Amino acid sequence: MRIMRAAFASRLDDADPLAALTVGEQPEPTLPDDDWVVLRVTASSLNHHDLWSLRGVGLRAEQLPMILGCDATGVDPDGNEVVVYPVVVTPGDPRGVSILSEHFPGTLAERVAVPRSNLLPLPAGLAATDAACLPTAWLTAWRMLTTKGRVDTADAVLVQGAGGGVATAAVALAVAMGKRVYATSRDAGKRERIAELGATPVEPGARLRERVDVVIETVGAATFDHSLKSAAPGARIVVSGATAGHEPKVNLRRVFAMQLEIVGTSMGTPGELTDLLTFCAERGVRPVVDSVVPFSRVTDAFARLHSGDVFGKIVIDHTR
């Protein structure tokens, strides 16, 4: 049996997810179907999904060991540089689909098996380490703004909890689209970084200069009342996460009086990822990268993500 190095969940630990992470040898990928291929991974990026997996959210003990990681760029069997679309058709999952590392081994390895149709060309001028940030967090932010938020009809956007991958992506993308962007963070240093991206930083709960047409919500209970109060008539509050509580109190009078839309979403389609890659390549938009870490230090990368002291994406360079 051929083996490779990988970062994987060897057990599940809700209290200490880092203790459930192992970096070591795993078997080479096998192909579940004829239309799958093996990709040599050149770069990947971490998501909070990886920490949730280590905690046991979405993973069962009988699935272990499970190689982690959703995002990747790499080289296909024909030598083409590609970006991996991480959503895979999964008949056994109630959703009908899953993300790599839920039912099928993920991208934090030397090689990964994916359906050939999940491989998109890496655009010229976009570095592999940048493109590896896009398929999960940035794709989610893109779909929140475009398909769900209809940001093309908006003038102003509020992003709650900038600093994390999705929220920071939403700030950068909305600024690149020419919108007035407000973004909250409890951390003064992160508010300075928000300003550098071209957005107006505000403290959590602070009154904005105007009501906004689109709110990007990944925080949840801690910020949802502020999101409601900051929304203009007919605004869209788009939700893709709940890192600080999943059961907020909702003032329904405000919802119907202001005719607000509260919309949930997750990830995006291959076409939306293609649009995002094209947008970034043509507009010169580059992901906000917290750090680029060699695969040999992937445990340090997980520790940094777990600390919460992150602004943007943590990228893993598989060539080092």
Side-chain angles (χ1 to χ4, degrees), residues 158 160 205-206 208 210-217 220-239 248-263:
L158 169 63
Q160 296 284 17
L208 307 184
E210 60 184 318
R211 286 180 170 163
V212 301
D213 308 296
V214 178
V215 181
I216 300 299
E217 249 298 354
T223 57
F224 210 82
D225 187 60
H226 182 241
S227 294
L228 289 168
K229 290 177 179 177
S230 301
R236 283 76 68 193
I237 300 174
V238 189
V239 184
K249 290 185 178 179
V250 177
N251 184 339
L252 292 178
R253 289 176 179 171
R254 184 177 292 274
V255 173
F256 64 73
M258 299 289 281
Q259 300 191 52
L260 303 179
E261 297 178 41
I262 300 174
V263 183

Side-chain angles (χ1 to χ4, degrees), residues 2-310:
R2 296 184 61 190
I3 58 174
M4 63 178 182
R5 62 177 183 169
F8 54 95
S10 54
R11 61 188 180 93
L12 306 175
D13 193 325
D14 183 49
D16 186 6
L18 296 182
L21 174 68
T22 298
V23 179
E25 296 180 342
Q26 284 290 287
E28 290 269 357
T30 57
L31 301 180
D33 211 331
D34 291 342
D35 63 341
W36 287 56
V37 297
V38 173
L39 181 78
R40 177 169 58 83
V41 180
T42 53
S44 61
S45 67
L46 299 188
N47 294 282
H48 280 282
H49 181 276
D50 301 311
L51 290 176
W52 286 113
S53 295
L54 292 167
R55 289 186 171 103
V57 178
L59 271 186
R60 302 183 308 276
E62 57 266 30
Q63 294 175 277
L64 303 179
M66 175 62 77
I67 297 174
L68 301 169
C70 311
D71 296 336
T73 54
V75 180
D76 72 8
D78 301 318
N80 302 306
E81 291 190 284
V82 294
V83 182
V84 176
Y85 174 66
V87 180
V88 181
V89 174
T90 312
D93 191 287
R95 301 166 295 179
V97 297
S98 66
I99 302 172
L100 290 174
S101 77
E102 291 181 339
H103 290 278
F104 300 97
T107 58
L108 287 173
E110 293 180 77
R111 282 168 287 282
V112 63
V114 294
R116 188 179 288 275
S117 59
N118 283 50
L119 302 181
L120 304 177
L122 176 67
L126 195 60
T129 48
D130 284 336
C133 300
L134 302 180
T136 298
W138 277 66
L139 176 58
T140 299
W142 176 263
R143 180 176 173 84
M144 292 177 81
L145 288 166
T146 58
T147 306
K148 297 293 187 177
R150 307 192 299 280
V151 75
D152 56 325
T153 66
D155 295 316
V157 176
L158 169 63
V159 180
Q160 296 284 17
V166 174
T168 305
V171 170
L173 288 169
V175 168
M177 293 171 181
K179 308 303 176 181
R180 295 188 298 275
V181 182
Y182 303 88
T184 65
S185 176
R186 294 174 299 174
D187 184 278
K190 290 182 179 180
R191 290 197 295 273
E192 290 180 9
R193 297 286 299 275
I194 289 166
E196 292 171 4
L197 292 176
T200 299
V202 294
E203 294 186 13
R207 187 183 182 92
L208 307 184
R209 294 200 295 260
E210 60 184 318
R211 286 180 170 163
V212 301
D213 308 296
V214 178
V215 181
I216 300 299
E217 249 298 354
T218 63
V219 180
T223 57
F224 210 82
D225 187 60
H226 182 241
S227 294
L228 289 168
K229 290 177 179 177
S230 301
R236 283 76 68 193
I237 300 174
V238 189
V239 184
S240 72
T243 56
H246 64 281
E247 294 183 336
K249 290 185 178 179
V250 177
N251 184 339
L252 292 178
R253 289 176 179 171
R254 184 177 292 274
V255 173
F256 64 73
M258 299 289 281
Q259 300 191 52
L260 303 179
E261 297 178 41
I262 300 174
V263 183
T265 191
S266 178
M267 297 294 294
T269 66
E272 288 166 333
L273 180 54
T274 298
D275 291 343
L276 171 60
L277 288 164
T278 301
F279 182 86
C280 290
E282 292 182 351
R283 299 287 189 95
V285 177
R286 295 297 178 266
V288 181
V289 174
D290 176 87
S291 51
V292 179
V293 179
F295 189 89
S296 58
R297 290 179 42 221
V298 68
T299 53
D300 295 338
F302 268 86
R304 180 163 177 78
L305 180 65
H306 186 247
S307 75
D309 187 26
V310 175

